[in-house]
Amino acid sequence: MMSIQTSHVPDVSVIIAAYNAMPYLTKSVTSALEQSIGHDRLEIIAVNDGSTDATGAELDRLAAGHPGTLKVIHQENSGGPARPRNRALDIARGRFVFILDADDYLGPEALERMVAVADANGTDVVLGKTIGVGGRKSPTMYKKNEENTDVFSSRAYWTLNPMKLYRRELLEKHSIRFGYELRVCEDQPFVMLAYLRASGISVVADYDCVYWSYRDDGGNITRTIQDLPSRVEVLQHMLPLVASEVPAGPRRDLLIHRHLEIDLPWILRRIAHVEERAEQEKVFADLRPLFDAYYTEALAAGLPAMLRLQCHLIQHGMLDELLTVRRFNEVPSADRVFDVTVEDGRAYAHYPYFRDDAVAIPDSVYDYTAQLSIRQDIGPLSLDEESAVLRVEGSVRLHRVPQEQQATLIVRERDGAAEHRVALDSTDRLCLPLRSAADGRPLATGTWDVFIGLSSGGHTQEARLGGQAEASGTVSVRHELCDGTQLRPVRAYFTQHGNLSIKVSAPVSRLRRDLEPDKANWSPADPSRVLLSGTLRGLGQGERLLVRLTNAVGSRQEFTIAVDPQTGRFEQTVPLTAPGDWRVQWLLDVPGATPRRATRAVSVPEDLGVTQWRRRFLQFWYAKPLPAGKTKTLTLRVGRKSLVKVLLRK
């Protein structure tokens, strides 16, 4: 045994219990030695639990290269990881301890990140994101970082493996050690007590902290112990322990829910394959008292329907019915066929014995409402340009529900509270009229997420429309929606997750987009008129293009311009009849639109000079453009010329 001669208190003590762990052990220990936290903040205690392979020799080799960091303890085999872990805990000096299995390994920055989170938040337990390696499944609760949480407001309790960071003061204060009562899952009581005694729990979800290996030699202890009694013992130990720590009520039910959802199915999957009836009955008899003591109606209501049915059969001593249900449940989920009935707002799965009078299981046991889902078969987008109707190829259905269903498209403002609903004719005609999607009007500017709502039997279910990115494709649909005097650029697209969204850009004046005017000139036939010409696309029935002249006191003159309905071309002269400074603007008039009228400035020509004309025998008039102002709007000064000045000039 090698010792570390130093009084320095490290931040972390990594504890590794190893039994016949080669060749995985090398990577496990090396990952701890190479942590970014540095050797001055780290100690590693590895306990060789009587290995018969090269585990002991490899630990000694690694320790020889890191005598100030890695301590190795050799002992006779104890039959499980509890004793070697406890022995290491008894001599650990770090402010924190991390339990690492000998066949798993750490991400390079794992300890540094977890210690930083614990110190920043004053929490006693830190969960680092776990990644499965080699096909091994890992916990899935690491969706977001949690600075300070607990087992009742997070999914932390759904992972009871010990590979976490623990404040050593917590373990010593409450004498938390690994127990010897269980042959498997001996870490569950340890982790549960640490969770419940902790001042808080942190979750590091944005970094891959722990790599959980699948041993192709079958050496993971949870895989080598296959006997049912040992698994029943886990429930027999954990449920009373939970009850002793947490008073009856929703909090206790939450923790017991985890054991029924994770631990019980392991037993149920194997009980049907036990050859001896007596052994099946023994397992059944051992489980039943647990349900009498801890199974509540509230707990049952929160379970999936299939698990709830099996729990009901255990509670009522119905072994033969349970075996029938197990045979039904062993059919692969893709091939398992059953209907769902929706009545009075609740959904019921047609699992075995549903409404079988001979068995008389209550409908509530088969309640499938929380699991009811919308099955979507979604294809690409298309758009009818003339009607401005967006079509989504495919169909939607409440899964397994054969009853008639009513469908509604729901568009919700992503960054606001607005919502609009459009009833559909059927579940396989997914059409959204862009001109009237917002209660008869086009959608407002912004991003809108599209949902589907399905109703049947008094129950309504909603979900994002899409969800199948590969099937729906990535091609978006663009359209310029004519909304009176405005154009609204619209883009319908599937997000990276395959969900349909609609982006509505800020309205653009149709005059700016569709009007292409020529340069304004004086009429060659009549110098008292200004000649305006150009092209206007998309002028609808009843719509008019006008030119408006406005003077400084607000007087207006408006003239309708004749536009060729085929080509959109126009050419028209506008008379200048009154003195003053007249601002010249285009005007689009759309009856019934809001706003009804839109304006656009007539631009100032660079080379437009002065024009003059004689209105009567001795009346001379002129018009000239004023210098362009900030708005760059053509403004014409119109006035009478002095007869004396005219004669003198001549």
Side-chain angles (χ1 to χ4, degrees), residues 91 203 512 534 615:
I91 64 171
V203 178
R512 291 194 174 277
R615 187 166 291 172

Side-chain angles (χ1 to χ4, degrees), residues 32-51:
L33 287 168
E34 295 178 348
Q35 284 295 293
S36 63
I37 199 170
H39 285 193
D40 60 327
R41 300 174 61 190
L42 176 70
E43 74 170 358
I44 304 169
I45 305 172
V47 182
N48 172 29
D49 192 37
S51 299

